[in-house]
Amino acid sequence: MNTEPNPPEKISRSSLLRNWTSLLGLIIVLASLFSFFLLFLLDSLAHFANPYVGVLTYLVAPAFLGVGLALFILGVLLRRWKIARSVGVAPALQIDLSRPRDRRILGVFLGVAVLFLLFTAMGSYHTYHFTESVEFCGQACHTVMQPELVTYRHSPHARVSCTECHIGPGATWYVRSKLSGTYQVYATVRDKFPRPIPTPIKNLRPAQETCEQCHWPKKFVGNLDRTYAYFLSDETNTLHEIRLLLKVGGGDPTHGPEGGIHWHMNVRNKVEYFAIDAGRQQIPWVRLTDHQGVVTEFRSPGFTNKVDKSDIRVMDCMDCHNRPAHMFEPPNSAVDLAMKLDQIDPALPFIKTNAVFTLTQCYTNETEARQRIATHLANAYTDTPRLRKTIQTVQQIYRDNFFPEMKANWRVYPDNIGHKDWPGCFRCHDGKHTSADGKNMIKANDCNACHLILAQGNGAQIEKLNPAGLKFEHPGEDYDKEFLCNDCHTGGP
Ligand code: HEC
Ligand code: HEC
Ligand code: HEC
Ligand code: HEC
Ligand code: HEC
Ligand code: HEC
């Protein structure tokens, strides 16, 4: 008599599947596949541009699929282990192709596997694209990225996707950014992110690999002619215009004379610097290596420290163009522009002062700001259609440039391109940096080194151009030339 109650080959393989864990796994797999296809269909047919549909389709559904599959396999393994313990022998898992049933099972299995791989490939491709999209970067974490998204939409780069500047081409930076991104998602969910988001971004990919993919650094720009319009804070909001010829030039002698502002682009010369503060606004040490290899160090008076190699940064595009996509307009310039465009009525007495004043009050959110701006201006002037337009414009300036929830506005995001409201160029060209043998850099008060003033003033004055450049006439009163512009000008009232 056979004493063995259950010969091992008689334990059917399907009995392995009969356990609760695997069943649960199977249900999750089926449910997530079903939702994936439904969402995928919705996403591709309806074109929502809704980031949440994307998050669900390409991140949440596949995650559930993975969990389901893992549970399924875990259930099978557990079951097998249990049987093995009670019976002493684990059920055989070999496949015998001579049996028609096994052939059928294998056929079905292979079919399903191919289908699954196909959909996974398609899914990963879409997931990749989705995580690279402006919707994902800008909208999925709504409050956090709101300031950068709004300012980006008003920038000259509104059609360049976030990732082209922040990640760039290639797999390494993609993986790096996804790794740090995972922490960022966690920080967002746990509400642990800093407000405002600090700038500059540490470990941003070098400009050579991002900006220079589109902007050929060898391009010779030459001179750019720009007119700046200002309204003074007097009763009549006196208009004062300045027309500048910016000597942008170029940095590569094969495409035009090397020199001007773009001389710094490191094509032939290299500029390095050390900043004391995290925001890179105080620069006491600059090192120049020119195209003949001659090295010159410039220091601020009193700065004698040795500079650690790891603290040295090579100057690139973003040291000047740090706000190519996220410009938080200072209220002073935003109001000037709107007045020039007649969206804020320049005929209203003291409107320049009043508009800048209301913009710079402390508001807890956008709704409060909108109401208080309206009340303040409505109380100051008589109600006309022009006033209503003015109020709307001021509210719009607030919406586009102030983000109280994130504490983001022009105060915390300096723009390094000029020198009026922030130190900018004068971080190095303040006139005080000297080399050991007494050489100076281009000085702040050498106004014609970087641009020529072609015309300045009001009305007919601005029509008369002087190609040799005019001496700067400061609007308002004259001032002590010991001061730099941003000692007084802050962009605010
Ligand atoms: C034209 C290139 C460009 C594009 C496009 C771009 N950025 Fe930026 N972004 C920058 C630069 C440059 C900085 C400043 C980096 C620095 O100073 O280190 C920056 C800074 C930031 C910061 C840090 C806070 C700040 O304002 O300095 C965040 C957050 C950010 N970008 C998010 C985004 C998002 C979201 C998008 C897409 C909606 C986007 N960026 C598109 C170039 C770009
Ligand atoms: C994917 C391509 C692309 C990338 C990457 C890119 N830009 Fe641009 N940039 C453009 C386009 C397009 C324009 C607008 C049209 C033009 O001026 O030709 C522009 C315009 C500009 C302008 C002129 C803006 C103005 O006010 O007229 C500057 C300055 C600039 N980019 C700097 C940068 C910097 C700095 C970076 C890197 C952080 C960068 N760009 C990255 C495509 C790009
Ligand atoms: C020393 C500061 C500085 C550096 C470094 C610098 N730029 Fe500029 N760039 C300027 C200034 C100033 C202008 C004039 C226009 C303006 O103010 O936006 C300008 C203008 C531009 C323009 C607009 C040209 C046009 O025809 O309208 C582009 C594009 C540009 N820069 C790209 C770059 C790129 C790319 C790099 C890096 C390879 C770079 N810049 C490095 C200061 C700089
Ligand atoms: C990190 C320091 C640094 C910053 C910031 C900086 N520069 Fe310079 N710049 C230098 C150095 C170093 C030189 C070479 C010494 C000199 O001629 O002053 C130089 C030279 C120049 C020159 C003469 C180029 C030539 O033809 O020889 C111009 C013009 C100039 N800078 C304009 C600017 C403008 C405009 C800005 C702001 C948008 C700016 N710089 C910001 C470091 C800097
Ligand atoms: C190191 C180069 C450099 C020097 C020196 C310099 N500037 Fe400028 N300045 C610039 C650049 C670059 C801009 C353009 C900023 C921008 O893109 O709008 C500018 C812009 C300006 C503007 C328009 C500012 C605005 O943002 O509304 C005025 C006015 C001006 N400069 C006056 C002067 C005067 C006056 C002096 C001499 C005391 C001077 N600059 C010296 C580089 C320089
Ligand atoms: C000692 C303080 C002080 C310094 C330094 C100073 N300004 Fe002014 N600036 C003023 C005052 C005050 C006004 C008048 C403001 C008004 O009526 O709106 C003014 C007005 C202006 C205006 C027109 C109105 C506006 O608000 O933009 C411009 C442009 C200007 N200054 C440019 C410059 C430049 C460029 C420099 C550096 C080369 C400079 N200022 C240095 C105090 C100063």
Side-chain angles (χ1 to χ4, degrees):
M1 232 183 79
N2 198 343
T3 45
E4 269 191 352
N6 236 339
E9 57 273 15
K10 284 211 178 136
I11 301 175
S12 79
R13 272 167 294 173
S14 59
S15 76
L16 283 178
L17 303 179
R18 275 183 235 117
N19 70 80
W20 288 113
T21 322
S22 292
L23 187 66
L24 185 70
L26 202 66
I27 292 173
I28 296 180
V29 166
L30 289 178
S32 59
L33 274 178
F34 179 71
S35 9
F36 174 79
F37 287 125
L38 199 72
L39 286 166
F40 180 74
L41 223 76
L42 275 178
D43 196 34
S44 24
L45 294 182
H47 285 294
F48 284 111
N50 179 338
Y52 301 107
V53 174
V55 169
L56 284 176
T57 324
Y58 303 121
L59 300 179
V60 177
F64 269 97
L65 185 70
V67 170
L69 276 178
L71 273 180
F72 181 78
I73 294 170
L74 185 79
V76 170
L77 290 179
L78 271 178
R79 176 90 184 138
R80 185 162 178 258
W81 179 72
K82 261 196 196 145
I83 294 177
R85 254 208 353 192
S86 62
V87 185
V89 191
L93 280 177
Q94 82 257 62
I95 296 166
D96 182 358
L97 284 183
S98 61
R99 281 189 298 189
R101 190 159 168 275
D102 276 24
R103 277 206 301 275
R104 236 181 303 128
I105 294 180
L106 190 72
V108 170
F109 175 78
L110 282 179
V112 170
V114 166
L115 254 176
F116 185 74
L117 279 179
L118 240 145
F119 282 117
T120 320
M122 189 176 73
S124 336
Y125 175 77
H126 278 275
T127 309
Y128 171 80
H129 269 272
F130 171 65
T131 59
E132 295 274 285
S133 68
V134 171
E135 293 96 64
F136 179 71
C137 303
Q139 283 173 311
C141 322
H142 194 73
T143 4
V144 193
M145 288 295 148
Q146 183 71 359
E148 276 72 30
L149 181 67
V150 172
T151 47
Y152 155 84
R153 293 219 162 116
H154 292 119
S155 83
H157 289 101
R159 295 282 164 87
V160 174
S161 77
C162 316
T163 52
E164 294 201 64
C165 293
H166 286 285
I167 301 174
T172 349
W173 281 83
Y174 179 79
V175 173
R176 266 176 80 160
S177 78
K178 289 298 161 261
L179 286 180
S180 70
T182 315
Y183 173 74
Q184 284 156 13
V185 170
Y186 161 81
T188 312
V189 174
R190 298 288 311 274
D191 200 12
K192 274 190 171 169
F193 50 88
R195 295 178 177 82
I197 296 177
T199 198
I201 302 175
K202 279 188 223 110
N203 310 322
L204 193 70
R205 192 162 181 186
Q208 284 79 13
E209 292 155 36
T210 54
C211 319
E212 292 184 16
Q213 299 289 315
C214 295
H215 300 287
W216 191 232
K218 292 191 169 155
K219 181 178 180 218
F220 180 77
V221 175
N223 295 329
L224 286 181
D225 181 343
R226 291 236 169 125
T227 305
Y228 299 79
Y230 307 97
F231 291 84
L232 300 186
S233 52
D234 52 4
E235 184 172 354
T236 54
N237 313 300
T238 310
L239 174 68
H240 184 101
E241 288 182 290
I242 301 179
R243 187 159 165 189
L244 289 182
L245 195 68
L246 289 168
K247 303 176 182 173
V248 185
D252 177 51
T254 55
H255 288 74
E258 177 196 4
I261 300 171
H262 270 179
W263 164 94
H264 305 77
M265 293 196 303
N266 294 329
V267 180
R268 291 234 294 165
N269 311 280
K270 185 156 123 188
V271 180
E272 295 159 302
Y273 70 87
F274 160 71
I276 303 175
D277 61 326
R280 302 189 190 135
Q281 294 298 300
Q282 285 162 283
I283 300 181
W285 181 93
V286 185
R287 180 164 67 192
L288 159 69
T289 312
D290 73 10
H291 59 273
Q292 287 160 330
V294 180
V295 180
T296 319
E297 270 183 29
F298 299 94
R299 284 169 182 267
S300 279
F303 184 80
T304 49
N305 304 13
K306 208 176 138 20
V307 176
D308 195 56
K309 219 174 147 188
S310 61
D311 293 334
I312 296 176
R313 186 178 147 83
V314 180
M315 191 174 181
D316 71 21
C317 316
M318 285 172 231
D319 288 294
C320 297
H321 297 284
N322 66 330
R323 304 259 132 232
H326 320 290
M327 179 62 193
F328 296 82
E329 272 312 321
N332 198 42
S333 339
V335 170
D336 279 340
L337 179 64
M339 287 175 74
K340 179 70 184 166
L341 300 177
D342 215 28
Q343 291 162 344
I344 292 181
D345 183 5
L348 297 168
F350 287 116
I351 186 65
K352 170 74 190 285
T353 317
N354 279 330
V356 173
F357 173 83
T358 57
L359 281 169
T360 48
Q361 297 311 292
C362 188
Y363 305 114
T364 48
N365 56 44
E366 206 259 308
T367 321
E368 187 200 342
R370 201 172 53 225
Q371 285 160 356
R372 282 178 50 197
I373 287 170
T375 336
H376 182 87
L377 294 178
N379 287 344
Y381 305 99
T382 41
D383 188 25
T384 60
R386 302 263 293 158
L387 179 69
R388 266 169 265 147
K389 175 95 201 294
T390 296
I391 292 175
Q392 274 170 15
T393 306
V394 177
Q395 290 168 330
Q396 189 62 43
I397 292 176
Y398 191 88
R399 250 196 305 281
D400 292 344
N401 298 291
F402 293 76
F403 305 88
E405 279 91 355
M406 284 301 294
K407 300 191 170 59
N409 57 50
W410 95 102
R411 284 196 183 94
V412 291
Y413 290 122
D415 185 350
N416 294 332
I417 199 84
H419 53 77
K420 182 165 163 275
D421 300 331
W422 291 280
C425 312
F426 294 175
R427 289 174 298 164
C428 296
H429 297 287
D430 60 355
K432 301 199 177 91
H433 289 67
T434 48
S435 68
D437 53 0
K439 262 194 284 180
N440 273 312
M441 298 174 59
I442 285 182
K443 293 185 178 179
N445 57 18
D446 184 2
C447 306
N448 288 346
C450 308
H451 46 59
L452 292 181
I453 301 178
L454 295 179
Q456 58 188 335
N458 199 338
Q461 281 169 311
I462 197 75
E463 305 292 331
K464 279 198 300 251
L465 299 190
N466 185 336
L470 296 161
K471 194 171 172 301
F472 177 60
E473 282 163 29
H474 186 248
E477 299 123 61
D478 212 7
Y479 66 95
D480 185 346
K481 296 293 181 296
E482 273 302 294
F483 291 110
L484 294 180
C485 317
N486 76 303
D487 289 333
C488 304
H489 292 279
T490 59

